[in-house]
Amino acid sequence: MPHSDILAAAGLTQAELTGGSLTVTTPVDGSEIARLKTHSTAEAEAQIAAAKNAFKSWRLVPAPRRGELVRLLGEELRREKENLGRLVTLECGKIYQEGLGEVQEMIDICDFAVGLSRQLYGLTIASERPGHAMRESWHPMGTCGIITAFNFPVAPWCWNAALALVCGDPVIWKPSEKTPLTALAVQKICERAMAAFGEDAPEGLIQVLIGERDLGETLTASKDVAIISATGSVPMGKAVAADMSKRLGRTILELGGNNAMIVAPSADLEMALRAIVFSAVGTAGQRCTSLRRLIVHEDIYDALIPRLIKAYEGLPIGDPLADGTLVGPLIDLAALDAMTSALERAKAEGGTVHGGARALADTFADAAYVHPAIAEMPAQTEIMHTETFAPILYVVKYSDLDQAIEMQNEVPQGLSSCIFSTDVRETEYFLSAAGSDCGIANVNIGPSGAEIGGAFGGEKETGGGRESGSDAWKGYMRRQTNTVNYSRELPLAQGIKFDI
Amino acid sequence: MPHSDILAAAGLTQAELTGGSLTVTTPVDGSEIARLKTHSTAEAEAQIAAAKNAFKSWRLVPAPRRGELVRLLGEELRREKENLGRLVTLECGKIYQEGLGEVQEMIDICDFAVGLSRQLYGLTIASERPGHAMRESWHPMGTCGIITAFNFPVAPWCWNAALALVCGDPVIWKPSEKTPLTALAVQKICERAMAAFGEDAPEGLIQVLIGERDLGETLTASKDVAIISATGSVPMGKAVAADMSKRLGRTILELGGNNAMIVAPSADLEMALRAIVFSAVGTAGQRCTSLRRLIVHEDIYDALIPRLIKAYEGLPIGDPLADGTLVGPLIDLAALDAMTSALERAKAEGGTVHGGARALADTFADAAYVHPAIAEMPAQTEIMHTETFAPILYVVKYSDLDQAIEMQNEVPQGLSSCIFSTDVRETEYFLSAAGSDCGIANVNIGPSGAEIGGAFGGEKETGGGRESGSDAWKGYMRRQTNTVNYSRELPLAQGIKFDI
Amino acid sequence: MPHSDILAAAGLTQAELTGGSLTVTTPVDGSEIARLKTHSTAEAEAQIAAAKNAFKSWRLVPAPRRGELVRLLGEELRREKENLGRLVTLECGKIYQEGLGEVQEMIDICDFAVGLSRQLYGLTIASERPGHAMRESWHPMGTCGIITAFNFPVAPWCWNAALALVCGDPVIWKPSEKTPLTALAVQKICERAMAAFGEDAPEGLIQVLIGERDLGETLTASKDVAIISATGSVPMGKAVAADMSKRLGRTILELGGNNAMIVAPSADLEMALRAIVFSAVGTAGQRCTSLRRLIVHEDIYDALIPRLIKAYEGLPIGDPLADGTLVGPLIDLAALDAMTSALERAKAEGGTVHGGARALADTFADAAYVHPAIAEMPAQTEIMHTETFAPILYVVKYSDLDQAIEMQNEVPQGLSSCIFSTDVRETEYFLSAAGSDCGIANVNIGPSGAEIGGAFGGEKETGGGRESGSDAWKGYMRRQTNTVNYSRELPLAQGIKFDI
Amino acid sequence: MPHSDILAAAGLTQAELTGGSLTVTTPVDGSEIARLKTHSTAEAEAQIAAAKNAFKSWRLVPAPRRGELVRLLGEELRREKENLGRLVTLECGKIYQEGLGEVQEMIDICDFAVGLSRQLYGLTIASERPGHAMRESWHPMGTCGIITAFNFPVAPWCWNAALALVCGDPVIWKPSEKTPLTALAVQKICERAMAAFGEDAPEGLIQVLIGERDLGETLTASKDVAIISATGSVPMGKAVAADMSKRLGRTILELGGNNAMIVAPSADLEMALRAIVFSAVGTAGQRCTSLRRLIVHEDIYDALIPRLIKAYEGLPIGDPLADGTLVGPLIDLAALDAMTSALERAKAEGGTVHGGARALADTFADAAYVHPAIAEMPAQTEIMHTETFAPILYVVKYSDLDQAIEMQNEVPQGLSSCIFSTDVRETEYFLSAAGSDCGIANVNIGPSGAEIGGAFGGEKETGGGRESGSDAWKGYMRRQTNTVNYSRELPLAQGIKFDI
């Protein structure tokens, strides 16, 4: 399908795609696909004001009714799954299967949020005083600014927005300047859902800001943006946190990952192999949950690594829209440079690199296709402590599980992790307080590909935020502890006597 | 009881109380009661290292066993309730009844934490993939630094420490430099509990740092202090948040309050009167939950305010250790100055001030006794947006509940609030999404005096942290989302196909 | 719309509607609308066997996938809302607005259940033993037999079925022999949803049994029916409970209600009036949550009751399918007789009866239209302790709230209750341990019309079961407590020593 | 220690121990240790009336205050641990270590219940209607009758009573007629706790009924006993359930177990061996969670079973009060007969029996000491489907895990189960919907020895009740769903229109 057809199928008009200052290129072939108008700071502030106003009424719409909007959004997304999935592929370069998967994740979170809309459970709590009722309620918090990254252009918005909307919060989306088109396409889908929903959805409830970093800063600076949920790099996250600390605003941060897999002697190597390839090479190694470090027991190293190298050699690289492709392009040539220099550093630190060369340069001179790389390292060296957004898999040996876990935990990031082992004593240990220090820890599946039912996020430089399932919705609401005295006495807590 | 007897009864020895550089005076009469040795930065770092080491073993002690330590701590506190309560009064000046109440709060949270130690519930979650189990566990987080303020010298430490210990985290306490003696006395109590507990309690599990602000900064700077729980002023909280944003560390902030009561026409005025006096005048107006703003319906203003002024006039002011005293001293003469200048400003803004003069200056030349003040204000003026740690109660009229709530919510702080009304339509509205924006909202009791069963804290400049009951314990643990594949297949989430 | 069109629009064919032995009449005019074939005991047993078989695979279908079936069911119900709502009206006689409301409730529970399908939360629990993980999981339970009553012919099935299906349990429905047609129509809707869902839905997953009481007994007798959820009369419930006690099977019982409203002096009488009429007269007084007893404070009795009598006089009685009708027919002439004799007894016990006469007898000789009745009683007499399924509202006076609550609680049933009062001290007291003993207790709304987000059911003779929202889903699953020892030691709980 | 000293140390006086009609013998040597007075039906009814009265005030005592009584009870139990543990051993024959363990379990549940007393969490729930608040509260239920069995004479009472008391329910205890002395001793401990607690504890709050089955029937017959929690045999449970079905009362049933262990090829056989012996032989095989069926993979059968038989041969049998004894007596000679005849049947069904002979008959002619028996069975025969309260371990082989699980689940009981395997695919499968159908399923620990933090109980003929941890407390309270309309409108749920 020609690129222009993909854009049109996603509902984007020529008028929208032209005449602006923000050039959007597709990583598929490096060609320009749009020149978008960007929002000014004043427009961003106007959006904030509109959202503030929307909040006044939206917070009073009963949550199950708010859920109905999200249900309609899910229905629209079901309808547009292929169109939007294809646009995701075009704009960020992940293969179409993954583009579809990302939209499916949006649909899943909508379903989940609809159920939540009749819950949003607080607690009733036993009070120590006679004639007193204690409880806690969760109330809407205010506008939620959502900052997303190019590698997951749509799903993280939806993880945040579906919950925020059900929780009573308007949303303003600042997508990556590399992937604004999917944001515009989603905004159109939202508008259809709002139209179907009717007048309870106020002006300014769902908005999108197209442009550069300064728009994000407008959001973090405004006390009328109660929450900033930001997905991206650690430096970006620290900047957001610093800005928000000035006004004690709330953040939900999903930052870097440097995710490892431990492969134990008892592992099913066939399964491990498949899991490694998908999680290291999927999205061309540009997931925050991509597998970056492989910690293999010395006894099985030789049974696994040569097969892995062989599997890498056979991976179909190419147009992510084409059937059969498993490895699409990196986002841009700068990413290719970063990958190249990381591999250089790996070599300098004693590593042996397999793969890693540019691919298809003849066909796609302006696109960044690469052969995924495996770097066999003598130990967990310096470069392995950093996250390079590219398909580089560092491999090291271990001899003892505690040592493997120590390596796993040694890096500053704390997002995802996994172990391949069939020994329950190892797998449970890995999941225990003595095991992985990541927010996600899996057994016999790779570090990527979380379901929306669980809370997503991690500690340390990953930023501490949680999105998606479990009680992540609490991040979008304020908790209020209530004590109601329905007696005609006024007893004090802790038995204090104070008689005037 | 002479001050020296109080110190001795709390277990503090002359060797400890003398020879150092930190002068401790009692607000009771302004006299010096100790010169304490302070910790150096190097000693603080050594404590951090010791705690890090303690964490390695403490996190593996089963939580119910950790709960046993907290149970023993509660038993020791029961035994020392009077001795410690008296020392609280001596060191921070609150009346003895409140000193006892503070220790009772420590005991209550210990009981609660013991129960928690067999809970610390995560979730098992339905997975979308066959042969997969999903769940989330909560694990110990690491060392918790606890920074506390003079006005509640011991209870907030215990809210944090009882939970942190049960959650598997060592604690390092940096008390206010104005109230280090109670911290030392509590540390002794902890040591007795640890001795009774036995060797499972590692060196460095519970520590205290005596000194100035730089010690707090050592805590915030160290990546080995996973959590900082800080109680105090908004500027302090912002400084902590900024420091922690540099390393994306976790904070639990309990900062300023500017707490209001709305008195509606249907209120039981007798009850309201008592509640107002206790919550505005208790702890000499130096609680973070002290009542500072009274928003009275115009129809009952004249029925309430003159009686209130009269009640204020009759309040017994004096030695907080003496029976019958209801108003003890401010913490120091600087607090008196701050109060005086706030009252000046209130007058300048059109207010009529009742009370507010210094009291007992002849008897206690070096102590800061005052007559609690009522300032009748023409509207919610500028001074009313700030928190002055003193017994000043600003009073304004309202005519319509929405207007009253708007006033209530207009200030930057968001800790506590309440309404006196017997009309359920008003009280529920006040507790709804359209009502108070505070973390605590009460009906027919004052804003202060929370039970430990509820979560304590608030939004906006109050800092967003939650301590004490409900699921506040989650602030001391890290959440881990686990997916265990026990099948022999490797399905991907969201139905993605990726076959190598 | 002619009756035959209603039947056809609901998808029922002439072949289905004729030739059987079970005569179905419509309460609208008493005419016969179908002669249905009934199932034999052998067929019932075959259904049980098919469900048992379906369970084997359905329990292994991941819950979120099971949720997808329920989502599709919800979509089908949205599509058929009017058709099914009209059939509900035709078959049970409730007005069309209520018919629609009943289908909406089915839709709501489907939405809720879809969200649940990614939850079904068990707990992970802190273990007292090192190297041990404790948790609890919820697993599918087995076949759920659902017995429903004529007055809510479809919604209670869906409360049960939507949850049961998501929880992994096949369902077999035994509807009232008075309302089998709606059951058949719903079964067709289910079949469409299953067809859309695909092959994961096994044969025998959703079944319906048409016939008399003996079919219900076949269900209660079979150990292959893990759960019986029965809605109906107290004697029916006791019979089910007795049968199930023989095999220690699980029951969910929703039996009689004898629901009261207390109207306090501070009540908004305008609202109370509307609430009384809807809840006493809606569904012609044949809801299990219908208002049956009105306990009015003596000070407002004269302000309320004459107006109520007047409002009753103006109620439009007639064809429930017609616009504007508020009072449709009773289910049959036997119900009319029961109403008449109850009113006779009320008079004999000192009551003054307003209304209660048969209506529209000329137009509808075979249908049981009545004028809703108000019986002013001298006290809470014997007849008021029983539930008559008809629009009779007994009214008594009270002078003191405790006395009113005592009257409210005096009856053997414990389903629903409410208070109209604007005094928060009264309303909270009514909701406290000292207040209503019912499973449902409302403030300023009537006893009927529960939302699906809350648990529905009550104690005492109401049977103790809970359906619909909150954690009612646990009634459809079995709880399993797991302890996993991943250490290489074998410590015993409670510190027991046992060394072989 | 002489028996009389044990009785005296537990606080039982000669006056209490003599002069009655209920002969109590010790299984230690079969000698008579008391002749107790029994309660008449009239006295039972008086206790029920007293409890009903106690309920009126106890339900209004704030739950944290009720928790204080349970905390004091825990303190008393700590003090009396050895004295009570010894009496447990004397009266029911379990070894002293297990007697202590039982008291420790009482202490643990008290600690847990104290924590619960500030929770008893209900939910606040999002309402679909504007201006409505929905929530659910848990209220005290009424008197809880507790029927216990001889094999755990005290802990199950405390599991129930500690929760019931915190939940606001008075308790009446009907202990086994074989172990009334421990009940009397516990009652004395309770009375001390109540005395320390003060006057908030009403008369009739904690009571004990000494006598035979008819007293239990008095409890089940009375509508003033809201809950019956019964531990014992399946026939007893069915009788209770049938009685309670007549009045639709609530039951918590903990009935028979027929607990299995699957030993997989990958199991740590050393650990398995120890676990088998403790769980099959502990309490002389008279735990409801005793291991009764061992399902061993054919590949390791010969490595395990001979060692097991050998271990059995070396077990020290004798006076349970003596140091080093691991196998005490059966409760009485009737139990010995039952064991003997079960073993006969096992042989008749093809089994080979090791051990099983009477022991120490010369020393203890009136006591029922036995050699624990292992019966190697050709298949899971008929006798293996029944529970014999004696140390008989049936052993069968399996070749395939699904077959093993099928055997495990084939029996009518559903209490406890476990697997020994180090393969996580097996262990998780065993814990999944496809695995064990028991309420308790463990990995690498035996079926007995649950911690109090988890819910205890099982499905099928085990009766479905849950006690102890998790949310088992809900069994002692009634749930109330509340909707509060604080608006001035009266919207109906499900969007129904009904305008009068």
Side-chain angles (χ1 to χ4, degrees), chain B residues 380-418:
Chain B
Q380 184 159 282
T381 63
E382 195 54 31
I383 185 68
M384 292 178 69
H385 290 70
T386 66
E387 179 189 28
T388 303
F389 242 49
I392 303 173
L393 181 65
Y394 303 101
V395 188
V396 285
K397 284 184 192 169
Y398 81 93
S399 55
D400 166 79
L401 184 56
D402 273 319
Q403 175 210 4
I405 290 173
E406 201 172 332
M407 273 197 272
Q408 137 74 33
N409 290 349
E410 199 183 57
V411 302
Q413 307 87 351
L415 183 53
S416 189
S417 60
C418 62

Side-chain angles (χ1 to χ4, degrees), chain A residues 10 156 267 289 399 473:
Chain A
T289 55
S399 55
W473 62 268

Side-chain angles (χ1 to χ4, degrees), chain A residues 39 72 82 123 165 182 244 249-250 255 263 348 358 378 380 421 465 500:
Chain A
H39 288 96
L72 291 167
E82 286 75 19
L123 300 174
L165 288 170
T182 38
M244 296 296 274
R250 191 188 292 183
L255 311 175
V263 188
R358 186 168 179 184
Q380 183 159 283
S421 165
I500 59 171

Side-chain angles (χ1 to χ4, degrees), chain D residues 222-288:
Chain D
S222 170
K223 71 172 177 35
D224 289 330
V225 179
I227 307 160
I228 293 288
S229 177
T231 305
S233 70
V234 173
M236 181 280 293
K238 287 184 177 173
V240 166
D243 283 0
M244 296 297 273
S245 75
K246 288 175 199 151
R247 57 178 179 98
L248 295 167
R250 190 187 292 182
T251 57
I252 301 171
L253 300 176
E254 300 291 344
L255 311 175
N258 188 353
N259 317 292
M261 179 191 292
I262 295 170
V263 188
S266 66
D268 178 325
L269 293 187
E270 199 57 49
M271 279 173 67
L273 186 73
R274 292 187 56 222
I276 294 164
V277 175
F278 172 68
S279 45
V281 161
T283 321
Q286 298 171 113
R287 291 187 169 211
C288 50

Side-chain angles (χ1 to χ4, degrees), chain C residues 127-128 139 431 451 455 479 481, chain D residues 127-128 139 431 451 471 481:
Chain C
S127 166
E128 76 190 43
H139 291 314
L431 304 182
E451 299 185 21
R479 181 202 306 249
T481 304
Chain D
S127 167
E128 74 191 43
H139 291 314
L431 304 182
E451 299 185 22
D471 67 350
T481 304

Side-chain angles (χ1 to χ4, degrees), chain B residues 444-467:
Chain B
N444 295 334
I445 59 172
S448 67
E451 299 185 22
I452 63 92
F456 182 88
E459 306 303 329
K460 302 197 294 184
E461 292 210 339
T462 299
R466 288 301 185 282
E467 290 169 338

